[in-house]
Amino acid sequence: MGYITLPRRLFLWCMALIYMVAFVSLYLQIPGLYGNDGLLPARWQLRYSGKALWEQLLSSPTLLWLAPRLGLDTQTAMELLCLLGAALSLAATVLESLRDSLVFLFLWIMYLSMYQVGQVFLYFQWDSLLLETGFLCVLIAPVTSLRGWRAGREHDPVTFWLVRWLLFRLMFASGIVKLTSRCPTWWGLTALTYHYETQCIPTPLAWFAHQLPVWWHKLSVVATFAIEIAAPFLFLSPLRRLRLGAFYMQVVLQVLIILSGNYNFFNLLTLTMCLSLLDDEHIYFWLRKKYTPNPNQGTHTPAHTHLEIAVWALIGFGTVTWFDLQINWDKWTVSSRTVFTFHQFNQFLKTVTFPSVWLGVLSLTWELVSSMFRCACVEGFFKRFLGTVQWTVFGAAAVSMFAISLVPFTFIEYDSNTSVWPGVRQGYDAVSRYQLVNSYGLFRRMTGVGGRPEVVIEGSMDKVTWTEIEFMYKPGNLSAPPSVITPHQPRLDWQMWFAALGTHTHSPWFTSLMYRLLQGKTDVIELIQSDVSQYPFHQQPPTYLRAHRYKYWFTKTLADGSYPQRWWKRVYIEEFYPTVYLGDTFLESMLSQHGLKDKSLPRRVSEAAVPQVVKWVRSQVRGVSAPLLLWSLLFCSVTLCLLRGLQLEITLKTKPTAAKAEPKCTAPPHHPDAKEANSNDKDGLGQRQEEEREEVDAEEDERRGEEEESEREENDVRDELEEEEDGEEEENKANSVTHI
């Protein structure tokens, strides 16, 4: 594989951006979900039993145990952690020097602290995925705070490979569980005829996608299986063009999901992980920059081309054969059906699960050996020794992460899971509470086949006239268009979707929701309508509440091809929650049954500076639209990065070129600096010599200080003074490309 300097930097930048989105989105919902007057107060999860702090952290690893020692109540501590996480991740998106291993460690710890008390509202697969990917960032990011560790980065391909392995596990398992669940819609290839209207929060484009013909939906399911089951094996391929092909297949799938559904930051996180399939050469291709290949990378031979053609032909042939694809030239349609049985698929799964593990072992071994070879080629005994130590430490960490990930990965096949070495299983059990590795499987079964179930809450003052309580994002009003809220996740709206699939007893928090609405708690009302004035009972809480279950369907285009006036149609099904009021015996019994009665008084808010600052920030964001706030932060972050990149590019192009005639000192050919130096020479930029460096003013020094992390990372094979100075311009070039 070629150099991965630029994909790795871009990956860390995207991860900082996603952390910011996750923290801000959660922060806006903390009072209503976890506050003292929220649905599931987080302080209930932190029972202080007199244990030592260390024992408390071991039982539930969260920084919220420190809140009483700092004079903070649990809600204020959660808001403070989210604000710190959002500020730190926002700073990391703008300043590359903050994309440090320790910074990502702090971000991971803060999000894990929230996850531990998040209960059902934080137990989504993408929250676990963010924690697992976030911990990998700790291994991938440079340790700029330790000067001795900043030079050698020969282990980067090894740690970055773990992201590829995680992407493989995510996509392969997501494809497999669709068939192992025996869901008739996936086996009948009709899942997408229901998916667009039954997903949690569809977008307006989902309505149009739902109108497509059935044969197209079935063909799309076939393509999904090919992308999720067959293509992931290409992630581990040693052939670069196979990985690039798999990359673009994943990008197409994720972009289509983003356009048709609101899945918060999940698809953005998956796209970020796909960057592990790229190399510097392809990033340069995107930016139309000249590139000099890695001299140790090897050339692409005709044999490689033939092998690539054979692989794509095999995938195509298998897809056509297993799903009996046939073209009807008269109607210009493609028919498809599943021709294999569940028993045959189960045998296939038994056959490929362990070989896929060994394929991962071979791929990781190749990265380890290649990195060890690069360490051995480093000039200078001290730097070679330091590089070897780093390779040993990070190599051991990569092997350990790979080993414990085999336990959740093999959950997809029982026999393979029982064959995992007991020592590996013990290691997994020891760290499972930290969410270092997890099992995945998205869209296991297609819900709402007979219609999309939806719970509608109604309120009344006199038990005669009832008014529907409309949520901001989930379907309710038949005439309201579907929302576009990515990357925000309205966690109450999501849980309302899950609640509609069963009875209210399966969702204990729903009783708490009814109770808080009867009390007129503003924090909970803002989860339903951020603009409280839009809430029908904002002046006085309703006396009575009830909930009914409906079935919703997308409307269809009219016979003349015109569009209907409404987006939805619905049919009443049954009562979901009986009529209740404050003091109602049924409501009281349900609160007691689910342990939702507050027996302890909340801690009084301190008058200290920190709680007051947190309270002031909360007052500033009340009533603000969450999607609007998130998109504003994203726009500002990206704009600042682009402006800094353009400024750096202009600075480089306007530098004096008098040093061109001076002899050049290039980095050894085995290091990325050699590649970047040669590439820069072809661009006519040359290398900066001591004479040029002496003319750099104070402003340029300050700019280079902000790029310190990149300079540290690239100077592992240069002499302490001369070669570090000579290679500085190549480093700036890489930074410029990254920012743009």
Side-chain angles (χ1 to χ4, degrees):
M1 185 175 182
Y3 298 119
I4 47 88
T5 302
L6 299 181
R8 184 180 61 83
R9 290 176 176 170
L10 185 58
F11 169 80
L12 294 175
W13 180 80
C14 291
M15 284 302 300
L17 212 60
I18 291 172
Y19 261 127
M20 180 192 69
V21 167
F23 278 117
V24 173
S25 176
L26 182 58
Y27 167 77
L28 295 173
Q29 303 173 76
I30 285 178
L33 296 179
Y34 306 116
N36 297 325
D37 294 327
L39 300 181
L40 297 175
R43 59 190 174 87
W44 295 354
Q45 300 297 308
L46 301 174
R47 300 298 184 183
Y48 298 94
S49 57
K51 294 182 179 179
L53 177 60
W54 181 250
E55 294 179 348
Q56 292 173 331
L57 290 173
L58 285 178
S59 63
S60 179
T62 172
L63 295 177
L64 296 176
W65 290 113
L66 301 174
R69 291 170 171 80
L70 299 176
L72 305 175
D73 67 336
T74 304
Q75 176 183 342
T76 304
M78 292 184 72
E79 293 187 13
L80 179 61
L81 283 180
C82 278
L83 288 174
L84 291 176
L88 189 58
S89 53
L90 176 60
T93 60
V94 179
L95 300 175
E96 188 171 10
S97 58
L98 289 180
R99 285 167 228 156
D100 176 80
S101 180
L102 294 179
V103 171
F104 279 106
L105 177 61
F106 291 146
L107 292 174
W108 178 79
I109 291 175
M110 285 187 282
Y111 202 80
L112 178 65
S113 297
M114 309 298 291
Y115 179 87
Q116 292 295 326
V117 299
Q119 305 166 78
V120 68
F121 293 108
L122 263 175
Y123 291 168
F124 292 97
Q125 290 195 53
W126 36 83
D127 293 309
S128 298
L129 183 63
L130 177 58
L131 284 171
E132 183 170 350
T133 313
F135 185 78
L136 295 184
C137 290
V138 179
L139 302 177
I140 295 170
V143 188
T144 57
S145 57
L146 299 178
R147 187 174 183 84
W149 284 71
R150 71 184 186 181
R153 300 295 306 180
E154 306 300 342
H155 61 271
D156 280 344
V158 176
T159 53
F160 203 38
W161 178 91
L162 291 172
V163 180
R164 260 197 289 163
W165 173 246
L166 173 57
L167 180 64
F168 171 81
R169 288 165 41 216
L170 171 68
M171 301 309 302
F172 184 68
S174 297
I176 291 297
V177 297
K178 291 177 174 61
L179 296 175
T180 56
S181 66
R182 297 194 180 191
C183 177
T185 62
W186 286 115
W187 279 89
L189 307 181
T190 58
L192 291 185
T193 60
Y194 308 103
H195 165 73
Y196 296 110
E197 70 177 1
T198 61
Q199 61 183 319
C200 179
I201 305 178
T203 66
L205 287 179
W207 186 91
F208 294 94
H210 185 71
Q211 314 302 320
L212 295 172
V214 174
W215 71 266
W216 179 263
H217 288 311
K218 297 179 71 174
L219 185 62
S220 299
V221 174
V222 173
T224 300
F225 284 137
I227 293 174
E228 292 187 344
I229 297 179
F233 286 96
L234 304 183
F235 299 168
L236 307 176
S237 169
L239 298 181
R240 175 176 175 270
R241 293 202 291 196
L242 289 180
R243 293 195 304 273
L244 292 179
F247 167 81
Y248 283 107
M249 293 174 71
Q250 302 303 321
V251 168
V252 170
L253 176 63
Q254 299 304 320
V255 169
L256 290 176
I257 295 176
I258 291 173
L259 293 176
S260 61
N262 292 284
Y263 291 95
N264 49 83
F265 58 79
F266 165 64
N267 302 108
L268 300 177
L269 180 55
T270 306
L271 287 171
T272 299
M273 292 192 295
C274 289
L275 294 172
S276 62
L277 303 175
L278 303 180
D279 54 19
D280 284 7
E281 181 178 354
H282 202 68
I283 301 294
Y284 272 81
F285 168 76
W286 284 352
L287 300 173
R288 298 298 186 266
K289 298 287 186 179
K290 294 182 179 180
Y291 177 81
T292 301
N294 180 352
N296 298 324
Q297 185 175 345
T299 58
H300 194 84
T301 65
H304 293 158
T305 302
H306 295 157
L307 182 57
E308 291 165 353
I309 294 175
V311 169
W312 292 118
L314 179 63
I315 293 177
F317 176 77
T319 303
V320 172
T321 303
W322 294 335
F323 296 100
D324 192 25
L325 299 182
Q326 296 182 7
I327 302 177
N328 186 328
W329 296 104
D330 296 331
K331 298 182 179 180
W332 286 94
T333 61
V334 179
S335 63
S336 55
R337 65 185 181 92
T338 306
V339 298
F340 53 89
T341 64
F342 178 79
H343 175 72
Q344 290 174 326
F345 178 75
N346 207 30
Q347 289 299 119
F348 162 79
L349 188 57
K350 290 177 181 291
T351 303
V352 303
T353 301
F354 249 103
S356 65
V357 171
W358 284 109
L359 181 61
V361 171
L362 291 175
S363 181
L364 176 58
T365 302
W366 173 258
E367 296 293 348
L368 286 169
V369 173
S370 300
S371 297
M372 182 177 64
F373 175 77
R374 285 192 294 270
C375 288
C377 294
V378 172
E379 296 180 356
F381 172 79
F382 176 76
K383 293 185 177 180
R384 188 184 306 116
F385 173 76
L386 182 60
T388 304
V389 171
Q390 292 186 10
W391 175 87
T392 303
V393 172
F394 287 95
V399 171
S400 300
M401 291 292 295
F402 173 76
I404 62 176
S405 72
L406 297 181
V407 177
F409 171 65
T410 54
F411 284 160
I412 59 177
E413 205 282 304
Y414 177 78
D415 292 338
S416 300
N417 184 256
T418 57
S419 301
V420 175
W421 185 44
V424 172
R425 193 179 301 276
Q426 292 175 3
Y428 169 75
D429 293 337
V431 300
S432 59
R433 72 185 67 182
Y434 304 108
Q435 303 297 310
L436 299 186
V437 292
N438 301 278
S439 61
Y440 303 100
L442 301 167
F443 304 107
R444 186 184 301 267
R445 298 187 65 88
M446 193 55 57
T447 59
V449 173
R452 172 199 181 95
E454 201 67 60
V455 173
V456 176
I457 302 175
E458 299 176 344
S460 174
M461 304 300 296
D462 54 9
K463 213 174 182 177
V464 176
T465 303
W466 293 88
T467 303
E468 291 188 6
I469 296 177
E470 185 177 350
F471 284 64
M472 282 184 291
Y473 308 118
K474 83 179 190 67
N477 188 338
L478 302 181
S479 301
S483 305
V484 178
I485 59 174
T486 301
H488 174 59
Q489 182 186 0
R491 295 181 182 268
L492 177 59
D493 293 63
W494 267 87
Q495 286 300 330
M496 288 290 291
W497 181 75
F498 284 108
L501 302 177
T503 64
H504 69 83
T505 56
H506 294 159
S507 303
W509 58 266
F510 191 84
T511 295
S512 181
L513 173 63
M514 301 289 278
Y515 181 58
R516 296 303 190 190
L517 292 180
L518 286 171
Q519 291 179 316
K521 297 299 183 181
T522 304
D523 291 339
V524 175
I525 293 174
E526 288 182 342
L527 295 176
I528 298 175
Q529 289 289 341
S530 58
D531 183 1
V532 178
S533 63
Q534 300 298 316
Y535 181 69
F537 300 99
H538 65 278
Q539 294 181 340
Q540 182 180 357
T543 306
Y544 303 95
L545 280 178
R546 68 184 183 185
H548 290 151
R549 193 196 324 261
Y550 290 82
K551 283 196 173 180
Y552 278 63
W553 294 269
F554 271 142
T555 55
K556 297 183 178 180
T557 54
L558 302 179
D560 59 357
S562 60
Y563 299 130
Q565 294 182 346
R566 293 184 172 182
W567 292 82
W568 299 95
K569 60 181 180 178
R570 74 180 185 183
V571 172
Y572 174 80
I573 302 299
E574 60 186 351
E575 180 184 73
F576 181 79
Y577 204 92
T579 302
V580 292
Y581 54 90
L582 289 178
D584 181 70
T585 55
F586 176 80
L587 179 62
E588 293 294 326
S589 66
M590 295 304 297
L591 290 172
S592 300
Q593 177 181 336
H594 297 308
L596 297 173
K597 280 198 169 183
D598 203 349
K599 299 179 181 179
S600 60
L601 295 177
R603 178 184 292 270
R604 191 176 67 176
V605 179
S606 172
E607 297 297 328
V610 173
Q612 293 305 313
V613 169
V614 173
K615 183 179 179 181
W616 178 82
V617 174
R618 171 63 59 185
S619 66
Q620 300 304 306
V621 299
R622 281 196 180 275
V624 176
S625 169
L628 179 61
L629 177 60
L630 287 173
W631 278 110
S632 300
L633 290 173
L634 288 172
F635 176 79
C636 293
S637 301
V638 174
T639 301
L640 285 174
C641 291
L642 288 175
L643 290 176
R644 293 182 71 247
L646 290 174
Q647 181 185 16
L648 182 59
E649 183 79 5
I650 294 173
T651 302
L652 289 174
K653 289 184 177 180
T654 56
K655 281 297 175 183
T657 58
K660 283 185 179 181
E662 297 291 334
K664 299 176 182 178
C665 178
T666 59
H670 63 272
H671 191 267
D673 289 342
K675 170 208 65 177
E676 295 181 6
N678 293 336
S679 177
N680 292 341
D681 292 344
K682 293 181 179 180
D683 288 337
L685 298 177
Q687 292 184 311
R688 250 186 298 184
Q689 307 298 316
E690 282 195 38
E691 178 182 342
E692 180 183 352
R693 289 174 49 260
E694 292 173 355
E695 299 174 355
V696 177
D697 54 16
E699 181 179 352
E700 182 67 14
D701 289 337
E702 181 179 354
R703 180 193 60 75
R704 287 203 312 272
E706 293 176 350
E707 304 298 331
E708 181 179 318
E709 183 274 336
S710 299
E711 295 175 3
R712 293 172 175 175
E713 161 177 38
E714 298 293 341
N715 288 332
D716 57 322
V717 294
R718 300 172 190 171
D719 293 331
E720 287 293 331
L721 180 61
E722 181 182 354
E723 293 185 2
E724 182 177 313
E725 295 171 349
D726 291 339
E728 193 170 284
E729 184 171 50
E730 294 88 318
E731 187 67 28
N732 290 334
K733 176 62 179 177
N735 294 337
S736 174
V737 173
T738 303
H739 287 299
I740 294 177

